Amino acid sequence: MGKGGGGCVPSKKRVPEVDGDAPPEASGGSIEADQENTHTDGTDAPIQKTASSSVPVGAKLKIFIVFYSMYGHVEGLARRLKKGVDGVEGVEGVLYRVPETLPIEVLNQMKAPPKDDSIPEITPWELQEADGVLFGFPTRYGSMAAQMKAFFDSTGPLWKAQRLAGKPAGFFVSTGTQGGGQETTAWTAITQLAHHGMMFVPVGYTFGPGMFKMDSIRGGSPYGAGVFAGDGTREPSETELALAEHQGKYMALIAKRLAQS
Protein backbone atom coordinates (compact mmCIF):
# COMPACT_ATOMS: atom_id res chain seq x y z
CA MET A 1 0.00 0.00 0.00
CA GLY A 2 1.21 3.49 -0.71
CA LYS A 3 1.51 6.00 2.08
CA GLY A 4 -1.53 7.81 0.80
CA GLY A 5 -3.71 4.77 1.48
CA GLY A 6 -5.14 4.74 -2.02
CA GLY A 7 -7.13 1.52 -1.78
CA CYS A 8 -5.72 -1.81 -2.97
CA VAL A 9 -3.66 -0.42 -5.86
CA PRO A 10 -0.09 -1.83 -5.50
CA SER A 11 2.49 0.69 -4.31
CA LYS A 12 4.36 2.37 -7.16
CA LYS A 13 7.15 3.50 -4.82
CA ARG A 14 8.24 0.06 -3.65
CA VAL A 15 7.78 -2.20 -6.64
CA PRO A 16 7.86 -1.41 -10.37
CA GLU A 17 4.77 -2.52 -12.21
CA VAL A 18 4.75 -4.22 -15.59
CA ASP A 19 7.01 -2.47 -18.09
CA GLY A 20 5.08 0.16 -19.96
CA ASP A 21 6.25 -1.40 -23.22
CA ALA A 22 4.31 -4.58 -22.45
CA PRO A 23 1.34 -4.71 -24.83
CA PRO A 24 -2.08 -4.72 -23.16
CA GLU A 25 -3.14 -6.94 -26.04
CA ALA A 26 -0.88 -9.75 -24.82
CA SER A 27 -3.80 -12.09 -24.20
CA GLY A 28 -5.66 -11.34 -27.39
CA GLY A 29 -7.35 -7.95 -27.22
CA SER A 30 -7.30 -4.53 -25.63
CA ILE A 31 -8.64 -3.85 -22.17
CA GLU A 32 -11.45 -1.85 -23.68
CA ALA A 33 -12.40 -4.72 -25.97
CA ASP A 34 -12.79 -6.95 -22.91
CA GLN A 35 -15.38 -4.70 -21.32
CA GLU A 36 -19.14 -4.99 -21.68
CA ASN A 37 -21.10 -1.78 -21.47
CA THR A 38 -24.10 -2.82 -19.40
CA HIS A 39 -25.01 -4.97 -16.42
CA THR A 40 -28.04 -7.25 -16.51
CA ASP A 41 -29.82 -4.67 -14.36
CA GLY A 42 -29.38 -1.99 -17.03
CA THR A 43 -26.70 0.08 -15.33
CA ASP A 44 -23.84 1.47 -17.40
CA ALA A 45 -20.82 0.48 -15.27
CA PRO A 46 -18.36 -1.64 -17.27
CA ILE A 47 -18.08 -5.35 -16.55
CA GLN A 48 -14.75 -7.09 -16.92
CA LYS A 49 -14.81 -10.45 -18.63
CA THR A 50 -13.08 -13.27 -16.77
CA ALA A 51 -10.17 -15.21 -18.20
CA SER A 52 -11.21 -18.03 -20.49
CA SER A 53 -9.56 -21.37 -21.09
CA SER A 54 -10.37 -21.76 -24.77
CA VAL A 55 -7.65 -24.12 -25.99
CA PRO A 56 -7.15 -25.10 -29.65
CA VAL A 57 -7.99 -28.70 -30.47
CA GLY A 58 -4.97 -30.89 -29.78
CA ALA A 59 -3.15 -28.28 -27.70
CA LYS A 60 -2.21 -29.04 -24.11
CA LEU A 61 -3.47 -27.09 -21.14
CA LYS A 62 -0.65 -25.35 -19.31
CA ILE A 63 -0.19 -25.23 -15.56
CA PHE A 64 2.45 -22.64 -14.67
CA ILE A 65 4.54 -23.56 -11.62
CA VAL A 66 5.86 -20.18 -10.53
CA PHE A 67 8.24 -20.16 -7.58
CA TYR A 68 10.95 -18.47 -5.60
CA SER A 69 13.60 -20.68 -4.03
CA MET A 70 16.74 -19.45 -2.26
CA TYR A 71 18.30 -22.75 -1.18
CA GLY A 72 16.51 -25.21 -3.48
CA HIS A 73 13.84 -26.65 -1.21
CA VAL A 74 10.91 -24.98 -2.98
CA GLU A 75 12.48 -25.80 -6.34
CA GLY A 76 12.57 -29.48 -5.36
CA LEU A 77 8.84 -29.38 -4.67
CA ALA A 78 8.24 -27.48 -7.93
CA ARG A 79 9.95 -30.16 -10.00
CA ARG A 80 7.87 -32.88 -8.35
CA LEU A 81 4.70 -30.82 -8.90
CA LYS A 82 5.56 -30.71 -12.59
CA LYS A 83 5.84 -34.49 -12.64
CA GLY A 84 2.33 -34.71 -11.26
CA VAL A 85 0.95 -32.22 -13.78
CA ASP A 86 2.67 -33.94 -16.69
CA GLY A 87 1.14 -37.25 -15.63
CA VAL A 88 -2.32 -36.04 -16.63
CA GLU A 89 -3.15 -36.49 -20.31
CA GLY A 90 -3.54 -33.23 -22.18
CA VAL A 91 -1.89 -31.08 -19.49
CA GLU A 92 1.67 -29.76 -19.27
CA GLY A 93 3.53 -28.24 -16.33
CA VAL A 94 5.80 -25.25 -17.04
CA LEU A 95 8.43 -24.16 -14.50
CA TYR A 96 9.15 -20.45 -13.96
CA ARG A 97 11.10 -18.44 -11.41
CA VAL A 98 10.17 -14.99 -10.17
CA PRO A 99 12.96 -12.38 -10.36
CA GLU A 100 15.48 -12.20 -7.55
CA THR A 101 15.47 -8.92 -5.62
CA LEU A 102 18.67 -9.37 -3.59
CA PRO A 103 22.03 -8.33 -5.03
CA ILE A 104 24.50 -11.12 -5.79
CA GLU A 105 26.82 -9.89 -3.01
CA VAL A 106 24.12 -10.50 -0.42
CA LEU A 107 23.22 -13.90 -1.88
CA ASN A 108 26.87 -14.92 -1.71
CA GLN A 109 27.08 -13.89 1.93
CA MET A 110 23.96 -15.97 2.62
CA LYS A 111 25.63 -18.91 0.85
CA ALA A 112 22.71 -19.25 -1.55
CA PRO A 113 23.54 -21.63 -4.43
CA PRO A 114 23.40 -20.31 -8.01
CA LYS A 115 20.07 -20.46 -9.82
CA ASP A 116 19.42 -23.08 -12.51
CA ASP A 117 19.53 -21.10 -15.75
CA SER A 118 17.37 -23.69 -17.52
CA ILE A 119 14.33 -22.36 -15.62
CA PRO A 120 13.35 -18.95 -17.05
CA GLU A 121 12.17 -15.92 -15.11
CA ILE A 122 8.52 -15.12 -15.67
CA THR A 123 7.07 -11.72 -16.51
CA PRO A 124 3.66 -10.69 -15.17
CA TRP A 125 2.09 -10.64 -18.63
CA GLU A 126 2.96 -14.29 -19.20
CA LEU A 127 0.57 -15.34 -16.43
CA GLN A 128 -2.29 -14.74 -18.86
CA GLU A 129 -1.17 -17.72 -20.92
CA ALA A 130 -1.67 -20.19 -18.06
CA ASP A 131 -4.73 -22.37 -17.59
CA GLY A 132 -3.82 -22.68 -13.92
CA VAL A 133 -1.01 -21.53 -11.64
CA LEU A 134 0.79 -23.06 -8.68
CA PHE A 135 2.82 -20.50 -6.72
CA GLY A 136 5.64 -21.67 -4.46
CA PHE A 137 7.71 -19.73 -1.93
CA PRO A 138 9.50 -19.99 1.41
CA THR A 139 8.09 -18.36 4.51
CA ARG A 140 9.22 -15.11 6.06
CA TYR A 141 7.64 -14.85 9.52
CA GLY A 142 4.51 -16.72 8.44
CA SER A 143 3.94 -15.11 5.05
CA MET A 144 5.48 -15.22 1.58
CA ALA A 145 9.06 -14.19 0.87
CA ALA A 146 9.60 -10.63 -0.35
CA GLN A 147 10.69 -11.82 -3.80
CA MET A 148 7.30 -13.42 -4.45
CA LYS A 149 5.45 -10.45 -2.95
CA ALA A 150 7.41 -8.12 -5.25
CA PHE A 151 6.26 -10.19 -8.21
CA PHE A 152 2.62 -10.04 -7.13
CA ASP A 153 2.99 -6.29 -6.61
CA SER A 154 4.12 -5.96 -10.24
CA THR A 155 0.85 -7.45 -11.57
CA GLY A 156 -1.14 -4.23 -11.12
CA PRO A 157 -2.18 -3.83 -14.78
CA LEU A 158 -3.39 -7.45 -14.84
CA TRP A 159 -5.38 -6.80 -11.67
CA LYS A 160 -6.89 -3.59 -13.05
CA ALA A 161 -8.13 -5.41 -16.16
CA GLN A 162 -8.92 -8.63 -14.25
CA ARG A 163 -6.90 -10.62 -16.78
CA LEU A 164 -6.41 -13.53 -14.38
CA ALA A 165 -9.99 -13.75 -13.11
CA GLY A 166 -11.37 -17.26 -13.20
CA LYS A 167 -8.02 -19.04 -13.34
CA PRO A 168 -7.45 -21.78 -10.71
CA ALA A 169 -4.41 -21.34 -8.48
CA GLY A 170 -2.74 -22.98 -5.50
CA PHE A 171 0.30 -22.71 -3.23
CA PHE A 172 3.23 -24.78 -1.97
CA VAL A 173 5.67 -23.62 0.69
CA SER A 174 8.85 -24.17 2.66
CA THR A 175 9.40 -23.37 6.34
CA GLY A 176 12.33 -23.73 8.72
CA THR A 177 10.45 -25.17 11.70
CA GLN A 178 7.34 -27.20 12.46
CA GLY A 179 5.55 -24.12 13.79
CA GLY A 180 7.02 -21.82 11.18
CA GLY A 181 4.06 -21.29 8.88
CA GLN A 182 3.12 -24.38 6.84
CA GLU A 183 -0.48 -23.15 6.92
CA THR A 184 -0.22 -19.39 7.49
CA THR A 185 2.27 -18.89 4.64
CA ALA A 186 -0.34 -20.25 2.24
CA TRP A 187 -3.51 -18.76 3.66
CA THR A 188 -2.07 -15.25 4.02
CA ALA A 189 -1.32 -15.44 0.29
CA ILE A 190 -4.96 -16.05 -0.61
CA THR A 191 -5.55 -12.28 -0.59
CA GLN A 192 -3.43 -12.02 -3.76
CA LEU A 193 -5.74 -14.45 -5.55
CA ALA A 194 -8.89 -12.78 -4.25
CA HIS A 195 -7.96 -9.38 -5.67
CA HIS A 196 -7.19 -10.95 -9.04
CA GLY A 197 -10.45 -12.91 -9.04
CA MET A 198 -8.56 -16.21 -9.20
CA MET A 199 -9.95 -19.42 -7.70
CA PHE A 200 -7.99 -20.88 -4.81
CA VAL A 201 -7.68 -24.66 -5.13
CA PRO A 202 -6.46 -26.24 -1.87
CA VAL A 203 -5.31 -29.83 -1.94
CA GLY A 204 -7.49 -30.62 1.07
CA TYR A 205 -7.10 -34.17 2.35
CA THR A 206 -7.20 -35.70 -1.13
CA PHE A 207 -3.70 -37.13 -0.57
CA GLY A 208 -5.38 -39.80 1.56
CA PRO A 209 -3.60 -41.75 4.33
CA GLY A 210 -0.39 -39.79 3.83
CA MET A 211 -2.08 -36.72 5.34
CA PHE A 212 -2.70 -38.56 8.61
CA LYS A 213 0.68 -40.16 9.26
CA MET A 214 2.28 -39.10 12.54
CA ASP A 215 5.33 -41.35 12.59
CA SER A 216 7.68 -38.89 10.91
CA ILE A 217 8.16 -35.18 10.29
CA ARG A 218 6.19 -34.07 7.23
CA GLY A 219 5.57 -30.68 5.70
CA GLY A 220 2.41 -29.80 3.83
CA SER A 221 -1.16 -29.07 4.87
CA PRO A 222 -4.66 -28.97 3.39
CA TYR A 223 -3.59 -25.66 1.82
CA GLY A 224 -0.86 -27.28 -0.27
CA ALA A 225 2.41 -29.17 -0.35
CA GLY A 226 5.24 -28.11 1.92
CA VAL A 227 8.69 -28.99 3.15
CA PHE A 228 10.55 -28.43 6.42
CA ALA A 229 13.96 -27.03 5.52
CA GLY A 230 15.35 -26.84 9.04
CA ASP A 231 18.65 -24.97 8.98
CA GLY A 232 18.78 -25.47 5.23
CA THR A 233 20.49 -28.85 5.26
CA ARG A 234 17.36 -31.01 5.50
CA GLU A 235 16.18 -32.33 2.14
CA PRO A 236 12.51 -32.98 1.32
CA SER A 237 11.30 -36.41 2.41
CA GLU A 238 9.69 -38.78 -0.05
CA THR A 239 6.33 -38.18 1.63
CA GLU A 240 6.68 -34.42 1.14
CA LEU A 241 7.64 -34.92 -2.51
CA ALA A 242 4.78 -37.38 -3.04
CA LEU A 243 2.31 -34.80 -1.70
CA ALA A 244 3.75 -32.25 -4.13
CA GLU A 245 3.35 -34.67 -7.03
CA HIS A 246 -0.23 -35.35 -5.95
CA GLN A 247 -0.97 -31.62 -5.80
CA GLY A 248 0.33 -31.17 -9.33
CA LYS A 249 -1.90 -33.97 -10.59
CA TYR A 250 -4.86 -32.62 -8.64
CA MET A 251 -4.49 -29.12 -10.08
CA ALA A 252 -4.12 -30.53 -13.59
CA LEU A 253 -7.38 -32.46 -13.22
CA ILE A 254 -9.19 -29.38 -11.89
CA ALA A 255 -7.94 -27.23 -14.78
CA LYS A 256 -8.91 -29.91 -17.26
CA ARG A 257 -12.38 -30.15 -15.80
CA LEU A 258 -12.83 -26.37 -15.96
CA ALA A 259 -11.64 -26.26 -19.58
CA GLN A 260 -14.16 -28.93 -20.55
CA SER A 261 -17.10 -27.26 -18.80
Side-chain angles (χ1 to χ4, degrees):
M1 294 285 285
K3 291 183 179 179
C8 58
V9 178
S11 170
K12 294 181 179 178
K13 291 187 67 177
R14 291 195 305 108
V15 182
E17 291 193 343
V18 178
D19 186 352
D21 294 332
E25 296 82 6
S27 66
S30 65
I31 293 175
E32 289 78 9
D34 283 348
Q35 295 179 343
E36 295 293 344
N37 293 325
T38 58
H39 288 256
T40 54
D41 61 3
T43 58
D44 293 330
I47 303 174
Q48 299 287 355
K49 290 183 178 180
T50 59
S52 63
S53 294
S54 56
V55 179
V57 177
K60 287 188 175 183
L61 297 171
K62 293 186 182 297
I63 304 298
F64 284 10
I65 303 168
V66 181
F67 68 93
Y68 174 74
S69 185
M70 179 173 285
Y71 294 106
H73 296 82
V74 175
E75 181 176 330
L77 293 181
R79 292 181 183 276
R80 198 63 176 261
L81 281 155
K82 175 174 167 54
K83 181 179 179 181
V85 172
D86 292 345
V88 176
E89 184 179 0
V91 189
E92 176 185 9
V94 185
L95 294 173
Y96 284 107
R97 295 183 187 279
V98 299
E100 179 60 78
T101 60
L102 293 175
I104 187 64
E105 294 79 11
V106 173
L107 292 172
N108 289 337
Q109 291 179 0
M110 298 177 72
K111 295 181 170 52
K115 304 287 194 295
D116 183 348
D117 292 336
S118 67
I119 301 176
E121 286 189 355
I122 191 169
T123 64
W125 286 105
E126 289 175 290
L127 287 175
Q128 299 173 102
E129 302 168 10
D131 299 288
V133 189
L134 288 164
F135 295 100
F137 35 83
T139 191
R140 297 294 184 265
Y141 303 115
S143 59
M144 69 175 67
Q147 290 84 348
M148 182 60 73
K149 184 59 168 64
F151 176 74
F152 273 114
D153 285 352
S154 71
T155 62
L158 299 178
W159 158 77
K160 187 174 183 180
Q162 287 294 282
R163 295 286 196 176
L164 306 181
K167 292 183 185 293
F171 302 118
F172 56 103
V173 305
S174 170
T175 68
T177 64
Q178 293 189 62
Q182 287 284 317
E183 292 189 345
T184 61
T185 306
W187 65 255
T188 53
I190 294 174
T191 57
Q192 313 296 316
L193 306 186
H195 283 256
H196 277 287
M198 303 179 81
M199 298 184 292
F200 175 50
V201 180
V203 73
Y205 283 83
T206 59
F207 188 47
M211 293 292 287
F212 298 93
K213 288 184 177 180
M214 300 288 289
D215 56 350
S216 63
I217 295 175
R218 173 190 61 79
S221 73
Y223 294 93
V227 60
F228 289 120
D231 62 0
T233 60
R234 181 183 183 272
E235 295 296 325
S237 68
E238 181 53 37
T239 301
E240 290 168 331
L241 293 172
L243 175 56
E245 182 175 341
H246 169 76
Q247 184 178 7
K249 179 179 180 181
Y250 185 73
M251 174 60 81
L253 291 171
I254 293 294
K256 192 173 182 178
R257 187 183 306 168
L258 288 171
Q260 294 172 347
S261 63

